[in-house]
Amino acid sequence: MRMWALRLESQQQREAPTAVESPRQLIHPYIAVSRETGVDAAEVARSIAAKLGWKVLDSELLDYIAEQYGVSRLALDYVDERGASWFHDTFGKWLDEQLVSQAEYVSRLGTVVLLAAQHESTIFVGRGAQFVLPPEAGLSVRLIAPRKQRIQRIAELRQCSQHEAEKFIEESDNGRAEFVRRYFQRDVADPQLYDLVINLERTSRESATELILNHYRLRFRAG
């Protein structure tokens, strides 16, 4: 992560004059993966990355922000893809200097996403990356699955009860929806926002990977 950050900073310095003139021309092809809680989004993203030779940025985005801006990683987790807390955003910095307001986080997140896309082709998982980057430069994908299937998967991953898994899914999905609605004025579940929507009920991770790759190659005429 440190070496990646240093390369980003170096490239940003070299390309600063050009970036001011035409930032959209500097964006490499990208794939943005939106997901419902409990689907295999990270695994699908890694499978695609392995075939394309790209980087995947999921929670790594938070690692970079924490290191680059000298803020607590735990503080970023508190505001990452969650519903906003009026008390936290209003009084948080006054009560604890280590806290980060959600507005600050989104601003820094947007900067990091743009820098990453300017540096190399990347697969972004969640966090509204598709709304930060120019749509013509990338492919936007939404991965969904039946609620029952997602509850079962979360229960297995978190080793918790079905009830706890259901509560986790509801809170996570609601938080992500509010996050996107508040900062990007979009409904994250709107299928018209995506180039491709894949239901993983009867589609395997491997098949989903191939569907996304084929769609990307058709659109961008990649080899």
Side-chain angles (χ1 to χ4, degrees):
M1 180 60 64
R2 182 177 295 276
M3 292 302 297
W4 178 74
L6 290 173
R7 288 198 298 270
L8 280 182
E9 291 173 0
S10 176
Q11 179 162 332
Q12 184 185 28
Q13 291 173 359
R14 293 196 306 270
E15 298 178 344
T18 307
V20 171
E21 295 173 6
S22 54
R24 287 176 177 257
Q25 295 181 7
L26 296 174
I27 301 297
H28 290 268
Y30 68 88
I31 296 175
V33 180
S34 174
R35 74 284 192 227
E36 290 183 320
T37 304
V39 302
D40 297 340
E43 292 85 347
V44 171
R46 284 192 287 267
S47 295
I48 298 168
K51 292 180 180 294
L52 291 176
W54 291 8
K55 182 183 294 294
V56 174
L57 290 181
D58 188 353
S59 59
E60 295 86 355
L61 287 167
L62 277 68
D63 295 330
Y64 175 70
I65 292 172
E67 182 173 337
Q68 177 70 6
Y69 294 97
V71 297
S72 166
R73 179 63 165 75
L74 289 176
L76 294 177
D77 284 331
Y78 189 78
V79 294
D80 179 43
E81 292 190 300
R82 294 174 182 266
S85 167
W86 175 85
F87 182 85
H88 176 276
D89 280 359
T90 304
F91 298 106
K93 295 290 284 185
W94 180 70
L95 294 172
D96 187 346
E97 292 183 357
Q98 288 298 309
L99 292 180
V100 179
S101 74
Q102 196 170 59
E104 288 177 312
Y105 164 65
V106 172
S107 175
R108 293 169 179 175
L109 176 68
T111 298
V112 171
V113 167
L114 283 168
L115 280 173
Q118 290 173 5
H119 179 65
E120 62 184 323
S121 287
T122 304
I123 300 172
F124 298 95
V125 179
R127 297 171 180 84
Q130 72 192 80
F131 306 118
V132 175
L133 299 169
E136 66 273 11
L139 185 70
S140 179
V141 179
R142 174 80 168 166
L143 299 180
I144 64 174
R147 187 178 182 84
K148 182 178 180 180
Q149 179 177 320
R150 295 188 290 128
I151 290 173
Q152 182 62 37
R153 183 168 184 268
I154 289 297
E156 293 172 357
L157 288 175
R158 298 175 65 88
Q159 296 185 331
C160 62
S161 69
Q162 296 279 314
H163 175 72
E164 290 171 325
E166 186 173 10
K167 182 179 179 182
F168 175 80
I169 284 175
E170 182 175 356
E171 291 177 350
S172 296
D173 280 346
N174 288 342
R176 289 171 180 175
E178 184 178 338
F179 179 82
V180 169
R181 184 166 51 249
R182 183 181 189 193
Y183 293 102
F184 305 110
Q185 294 77 55
R186 298 289 193 278
D187 176 3
V188 72
D190 182 357
Q192 296 187 31
L193 295 176
Y194 305 97
D195 300 299
L196 188 62
V197 178
I198 302 176
N199 188 334
L200 297 181
E201 180 177 15
R202 297 184 181 87
T203 302
S204 67
R205 184 196 320 171
E206 293 74 19
S207 296
T209 298
E210 289 304 316
L211 281 171
I212 296 169
L213 284 170
N214 289 338
H215 201 86
Y216 171 80
R217 288 165 179 157
L218 284 172
R219 179 169 174 180
F220 294 97
R221 298 181 181 179

